[in-house]
Amino acid sequence: MTDFPFQLEAQDRATAARAGRFTTRHGEVLTPAFMPVGTAGSVKTLTPDELVAAGADILLANTYHLYLRPGVDTVRRMGGLHRFMGWSRSILTDSGGFQVMSLSELRTVSDRGVEFRSHLDGSRHLLAPEDAIRIQDGLGTDIAMSLDELVRMPAEAGAVREAVDRTVRWAGRGFAERERLRGEGSGGMALFGIVQGGTDATERARCFEGLSRHGFDGWALGGLWVGEGRSLGLEMVEHDTAMLPASRPRYLMGVGHPVDLIEAVARGVDMFDCVLPTRNARRGTVFVSTGRLVVKNAAYANDERPLDPECDCYTCRRFSRAYLRHLFAAGELLGMRLASLHAVHQMVSLARRARAAVVEGRYAEFRAAFLEKFRSRATLAPAAGA
Amino acid sequence: MTDFPFQLEAQDRATAARAGRFTTRHGEVLTPAFMPVGTAGSVKTLTPDELVAAGADILLANTYHLYLRPGVDTVRRMGGLHRFMGWSRSILTDSGGFQVMSLSELRTVSDRGVEFRSHLDGSRHLLAPEDAIRIQDGLGTDIAMSLDELVRMPAEAGAVREAVDRTVRWAGRGFAERERLRGEGSGGMALFGIVQGGTDATERARCFEGLSRHGFDGWALGGLWVGEGRSLGLEMVEHDTAMLPASRPRYLMGVGHPVDLIEAVARGVDMFDCVLPTRNARRGTVFVSTGRLVVKNAAYANDERPLDPECDCYTCRRFSRAYLRHLFAAGELLGMRLASLHAVHQMVSLARRARAAVVEGRYAEFRAAFLEKFRSRATLAPAAGA
């Protein structure tokens, strides 16, 4: 499978952390990579140029949302998702499976696929594994995800087992669909398989065993960080990365918090996506190097310092906590925008620094230093006399 | 009054249009000038850098809002409004009078000033003419406005006359307060007087007569565009500009629509402010050279063209109507932001082009060409086959 070249450039000694790079039709992506989430074809409040300035090599876009609105036809007519949204670097799309399960009404899962009603207008749709592949191809994605079946946890062992079986069958159908498309001259995107099985290591191993019959370009760790807690989540990450091939990227879906990223990189994860940083930002909370800063709090009303004195994003270079706090208090959209800009910059930059540490063979020290500082909450107390 | 130098650089022959420039502590302002409105210390959704890129020399900030939140003390502690909001060019503040009358509860107007309850928390405040000057000085404004009394139209002749009398008395008190502040080493800002009198030319003349006893740095045309209609509004503009000194800038408050700007410039107005372009933008409607484009309409869902093919703002250079329409349909904040960016660029650029036409002695032709094109609605029809 050389049409999705992934090179491992460095492997840390003391941890399982890796530094790598892969290339898509839209450029290089350095790993570990944090992918900002552009749900409906827009990373909320931010322009593509700001995302480039933040150092993002790749974004995530949600197939479910784009399929329902504006629809694949419109995106295709506008020259594909990259042109439509003005983003010329890489895009990874999810399959739509997660949103179908979490957002739509009247979902029926059968071996055909998922039948659901749109949360927008109640229209009926069937999302089969082949459809998920065709839709992502129609959007012009660089990396597509297989349609998988998620099980709401906690679940009975039988439900987990059935979902794993279906995930394996669907993944095979999706892979075959991509081969069929390639025969027709499209389907050029990379395709990742997704390991499911909840927090049952045996089921996850069985899932991978089934999926590994196909030549997926990369591997996602699915069904985690859904309420099981960080400790158990990281346990599953360790389990999965031990079995997944070293020569392919590992993508921990829907993760996460800065500490999650640092700990998962230590366990061999290469790619992440999460709405948490930007969602928090829109609500007035950001991560800085010394912890979680609730900048909308009145305590910061006279704090002249930037969100993070060590951050060099536009927000931190130009504005004070006091101004940001004012913007949030006044309900000004600029506040949401400036905080989101910082949030993306902070996560992308964290992944970049993690990578540098791996390349320099000092990831364990980097992790320790990061965690100590992040838990210190230094500089978060309002300035004296404020 | 040479501390607010205003130079007339050109006077059109066929119309009363002028091109000028004045200098404040924060740089030069070329006129005619459109001032984007930064109500609560932020031009909604936009950063100061974007406003500079749009060519804005000067912004308007609302004293009422900033006085109530975050308060003059906080702004002062943060180094003044310019530093607080990261805007290093000129700022004009209004006196607060208009918002007190339109936003707050339980307003009592007496010769003392206006007593009101904050719309935010119901706290009681008295805004006297001296207070309005001190607050604007405390914010660090470059141009302050006198506290005036607005009368809701239609009003009886007696009410208009009393409001004019009070406006004149208050303006004198405000002017004296600035002199007093200057004696203490502050009060360095410019101060404009505001002509009131509704649509009664005699009262407006009487108002100016009273105000002209003081050496105001510039003259605002107040109490217009409050429902009297463009025709009558422009009649009052003609009346006022005929009596106002040619050597001082004329500021038509709260105006406006592109056609209003073009027509008022023709009648000798130099400065404008209006929330209409940016408010419309946030709601999915923008002005382009060929008219009013309701980009959120489904008709544009497949329109590959930019909002305005002749506009060189970031939005028009990078995004299609189809994408913007999608953003509005999806409720994405980026849509509001990109439309607002275009809106500011469009109005500032219109004023700039008007100025160039005056300098070249062809304002009448410029106006005629603009109006013809703006009414043509060319390129607004969705693309064929869309």
PDB file of all heavy atoms in Angstrom, chain B residues 181-199:
ATOM      1  N   LEU B 181     -10.698  70.425  32.351  1.00  0.00           N
ATOM      2  CA  LEU B 181      -9.809  69.260  32.322  1.00  0.00           C
ATOM      3  C   LEU B 181      -8.456  69.617  31.718  1.00  0.00           C
ATOM      4  O   LEU B 181      -7.408  69.159  32.176  1.00  0.00           O
ATOM      5  CB  LEU B 181     -10.441  68.120  31.511  1.00  0.00           C
ATOM      6  CG  LEU B 181     -11.630  67.398  32.165  1.00  0.00           C
ATOM      7  CD1 LEU B 181     -12.315  66.494  31.151  1.00  0.00           C
ATOM      8  CD2 LEU B 181     -11.187  66.602  33.378  1.00  0.00           C
ATOM      9  N   ARG B 182      -8.487  70.453  30.700  1.00  0.00           N
ATOM     10  CA  ARG B 182      -7.242  70.848  30.067  1.00  0.00           C
ATOM     11  C   ARG B 182      -6.359  71.622  31.037  1.00  0.00           C
ATOM     12  O   ARG B 182      -5.130  71.499  31.031  1.00  0.00           O
ATOM     13  CB  ARG B 182      -7.509  71.673  28.795  1.00  0.00           C
ATOM     14  CG  ARG B 182      -7.968  70.784  27.654  1.00  0.00           C
ATOM     15  CD  ARG B 182      -8.173  71.508  26.345  1.00  0.00           C
ATOM     16  NE  ARG B 182      -8.334  70.500  25.276  1.00  0.00           N
ATOM     17  CZ  ARG B 182      -8.451  70.774  23.989  1.00  0.00           C
ATOM     18  NH1 ARG B 182      -8.432  72.025  23.572  1.00  0.00           N
ATOM     19  NH2 ARG B 182      -8.598  69.799  23.099  1.00  0.00           N
ATOM     20  N   GLY B 183      -7.033  72.366  31.934  1.00  0.00           N
ATOM     21  CA  GLY B 183      -6.276  73.060  32.960  1.00  0.00           C
ATOM     22  C   GLY B 183      -5.575  72.088  33.902  1.00  0.00           C
ATOM     23  O   GLY B 183      -4.570  72.428  34.524  1.00  0.00           O
ATOM     24  N   GLU B 184      -6.107  70.877  33.974  1.00  0.00           N
ATOM     25  CA  GLU B 184      -5.516  69.872  34.867  1.00  0.00           C
ATOM     26  C   GLU B 184      -4.569  68.943  34.137  1.00  0.00           C
ATOM     27  O   GLU B 184      -4.078  67.966  34.718  1.00  0.00           O
ATOM     28  CB  GLU B 184      -6.633  69.032  35.502  1.00  0.00           C
ATOM     29  CG  GLU B 184      -7.524  69.805  36.450  1.00  0.00           C
ATOM     30  CD  GLU B 184      -8.646  68.930  36.990  1.00  0.00           C
ATOM     31  OE1 GLU B 184      -8.831  67.784  36.482  1.00  0.00           O
ATOM     32  OE2 GLU B 184      -9.341  69.379  37.918  1.00  0.00           O
ATOM     33  N   GLY B 185      -4.394  69.174  32.855  1.00  0.00           N
ATOM     34  CA  GLY B 185      -3.449  68.337  32.106  1.00  0.00           C
ATOM     35  C   GLY B 185      -4.066  67.199  31.331  1.00  0.00           C
ATOM     36  O   GLY B 185      -3.351  66.405  30.715  1.00  0.00           O
ATOM     37  N   SER B 186      -5.411  67.078  31.346  1.00  0.00           N
ATOM     38  CA  SER B 186      -6.031  66.045  30.513  1.00  0.00           C
ATOM     39  C   SER B 186      -6.951  66.746  29.519  1.00  0.00           C
ATOM     40  O   SER B 186      -6.652  67.880  29.108  1.00  0.00           O
ATOM     41  CB  SER B 186      -6.759  65.004  31.374  1.00  0.00           C
ATOM     42  OG  SER B 186      -7.717  65.610  32.220  1.00  0.00           O
ATOM     43  N   GLY B 187      -8.032  66.081  29.110  1.00  0.00           N
ATOM     44  CA  GLY B 187      -8.971  66.720  28.190  1.00  0.00           C
ATOM     45  C   GLY B 187      -8.390  67.050  26.837  1.00  0.00           C
ATOM     46  O   GLY B 187      -8.850  67.970  26.160  1.00  0.00           O
ATOM     47  N   GLY B 188      -7.373  66.276  26.394  1.00  0.00           N
ATOM     48  CA  GLY B 188      -6.707  66.632  25.150  1.00  0.00           C
ATOM     49  C   GLY B 188      -7.490  66.318  23.892  1.00  0.00           C
ATOM     50  O   GLY B 188      -7.093  66.712  22.797  1.00  0.00           O
ATOM     51  N   MET B 189      -8.613  65.582  24.056  1.00  0.00           N
ATOM     52  CA  MET B 189      -9.338  65.146  22.856  1.00  0.00           C
ATOM     53  C   MET B 189     -10.013  66.307  22.164  1.00  0.00           C
ATOM     54  O   MET B 189     -10.260  67.357  22.751  1.00  0.00           O
ATOM     55  CB  MET B 189     -10.407  64.086  23.213  1.00  0.00           C
ATOM     56  CG  MET B 189     -11.605  64.615  23.984  1.00  0.00           C
ATOM     57  SD  MET B 189     -11.212  64.825  25.777  1.00  0.00           S
ATOM     58  CE  MET B 189     -12.878  65.011  26.417  1.00  0.00           C
ATOM     59  N   ALA B 190     -10.364  66.084  20.896  1.00  0.00           N
ATOM     60  CA  ALA B 190     -11.191  67.028  20.146  1.00  0.00           C
ATOM     61  C   ALA B 190     -12.627  66.891  20.649  1.00  0.00           C
ATOM     62  O   ALA B 190     -12.991  65.870  21.235  1.00  0.00           O
ATOM     63  CB  ALA B 190     -11.121  66.722  18.652  1.00  0.00           C
ATOM     64  N   LEU B 191     -13.425  67.916  20.441  1.00  0.00           N
ATOM     65  CA  LEU B 191     -14.815  67.905  20.897  1.00  0.00           C
ATOM     66  C   LEU B 191     -15.704  68.482  19.809  1.00  0.00           C
ATOM     67  O   LEU B 191     -15.451  69.577  19.288  1.00  0.00           O
ATOM     68  CB  LEU B 191     -14.963  68.702  22.195  1.00  0.00           C
ATOM     69  CG  LEU B 191     -16.366  68.838  22.799  1.00  0.00           C
ATOM     70  CD1 LEU B 191     -16.954  67.463  23.117  1.00  0.00           C
ATOM     71  CD2 LEU B 191     -16.302  69.697  24.063  1.00  0.00           C
ATOM     72  N   PHE B 192     -16.716  67.735  19.447  1.00  0.00           N
ATOM     73  CA  PHE B 192     -17.652  68.176  18.416  1.00  0.00           C
ATOM     74  C   PHE B 192     -18.956  68.633  19.040  1.00  0.00           C
ATOM     75  O   PHE B 192     -19.426  68.060  20.023  1.00  0.00           O
ATOM     76  CB  PHE B 192     -17.977  67.014  17.447  1.00  0.00           C
ATOM     77  CG  PHE B 192     -16.926  66.716  16.412  1.00  0.00           C
ATOM     78  CD1 PHE B 192     -15.599  67.087  16.552  1.00  0.00           C
ATOM     79  CD2 PHE B 192     -17.273  66.008  15.258  1.00  0.00           C
ATOM     80  CE1 PHE B 192     -14.641  66.805  15.584  1.00  0.00           C
ATOM     81  CE2 PHE B 192     -16.327  65.708  14.277  1.00  0.00           C
ATOM     82  CZ  PHE B 192     -15.010  66.100  14.435  1.00  0.00           C
ATOM     83  N   GLY B 193     -19.558  69.638  18.433  1.00  0.00           N
ATOM     84  CA  GLY B 193     -20.909  70.025  18.807  1.00  0.00           C
ATOM     85  C   GLY B 193     -21.901  69.310  17.910  1.00  0.00           C
ATOM     86  O   GLY B 193     -21.559  68.913  16.783  1.00  0.00           O
ATOM     87  N   ILE B 194     -23.115  69.117  18.388  1.00  0.00           N
ATOM     88  CA  ILE B 194     -24.119  68.381  17.624  1.00  0.00           C
ATOM     89  C   ILE B 194     -25.338  69.259  17.368  1.00  0.00           C
ATOM     90  O   ILE B 194     -25.986  69.738  18.301  1.00  0.00           O
ATOM     91  CB  ILE B 194     -24.577  67.109  18.363  1.00  0.00           C
ATOM     92  CG1 ILE B 194     -23.375  66.262  18.772  1.00  0.00           C
ATOM     93  CG2 ILE B 194     -25.537  66.303  17.472  1.00  0.00           C
ATOM     94  CD1 ILE B 194     -23.741  65.007  19.550  1.00  0.00           C
ATOM     95  N   VAL B 195     -25.642  69.457  16.106  1.00  0.00           N
ATOM     96  CA  VAL B 195     -26.822  70.229  15.728  1.00  0.00           C
ATOM     97  C   VAL B 195     -28.049  69.350  15.866  1.00  0.00           C
ATOM     98  O   VAL B 195     -28.125  68.262  15.299  1.00  0.00           O
ATOM     99  CB  VAL B 195     -26.705  70.739  14.275  1.00  0.00           C
ATOM    100  CG1 VAL B 195     -27.995  71.440  13.857  1.00  0.00           C
ATOM    101  CG2 VAL B 195     -25.513  71.666  14.142  1.00  0.00           C
ATOM    102  N   GLN B 196     -29.004  69.820  16.660  1.00  0.00           N
ATOM    103  CA  GLN B 196     -30.300  69.136  16.782  1.00  0.00           C
ATOM    104  C   GLN B 196     -31.397  70.056  16.253  1.00  0.00           C
ATOM    105  O   GLN B 196     -31.110  71.146  15.766  1.00  0.00           O
ATOM    106  CB  GLN B 196     -30.573  68.761  18.244  1.00  0.00           C
ATOM    107  CG  GLN B 196     -29.655  67.692  18.808  1.00  0.00           C
ATOM    108  CD  GLN B 196     -29.913  66.319  18.211  1.00  0.00           C
ATOM    109  OE1 GLN B 196     -30.905  66.099  17.526  1.00  0.00           O
ATOM    110  NE2 GLN B 196     -29.010  65.391  18.479  1.00  0.00           N
ATOM    111  N   GLY B 197     -32.633  69.623  16.403  1.00  0.00           N
ATOM    112  CA  GLY B 197     -33.759  70.434  15.933  1.00  0.00           C
ATOM    113  C   GLY B 197     -34.695  69.650  15.030  1.00  0.00           C
ATOM    114  O   GLY B 197     -35.596  70.223  14.412  1.00  0.00           O
ATOM    115  N   GLY B 198     -34.459  68.357  14.968  1.00  0.00           N
ATOM    116  CA  GLY B 198     -35.340  67.510  14.171  1.00  0.00           C
ATOM    117  C   GLY B 198     -35.345  67.903  12.712  1.00  0.00           C
ATOM    118  O   GLY B 198     -34.298  68.205  12.133  1.00  0.00           O
ATOM    119  N   THR B 199     -36.535  67.933  12.099  1.00  0.00           N
ATOM    120  CA  THR B 199     -36.639  68.297  10.694  1.00  0.00           C
ATOM    121  C   THR B 199     -37.163  69.719  10.546  1.00  0.00           C
ATOM    122  O   THR B 199     -37.760  70.087   9.532  1.00  0.00           O
ATOM    123  CB  THR B 199     -37.555  67.307   9.950  1.00  0.00           C
ATOM    124  OG1 THR B 199     -38.779  67.162  10.702  1.00  0.00           O
ATOM    125  CG2 THR B 199     -36.888  65.947   9.802  1.00  0.00           C
TER     126      THR B 199
END
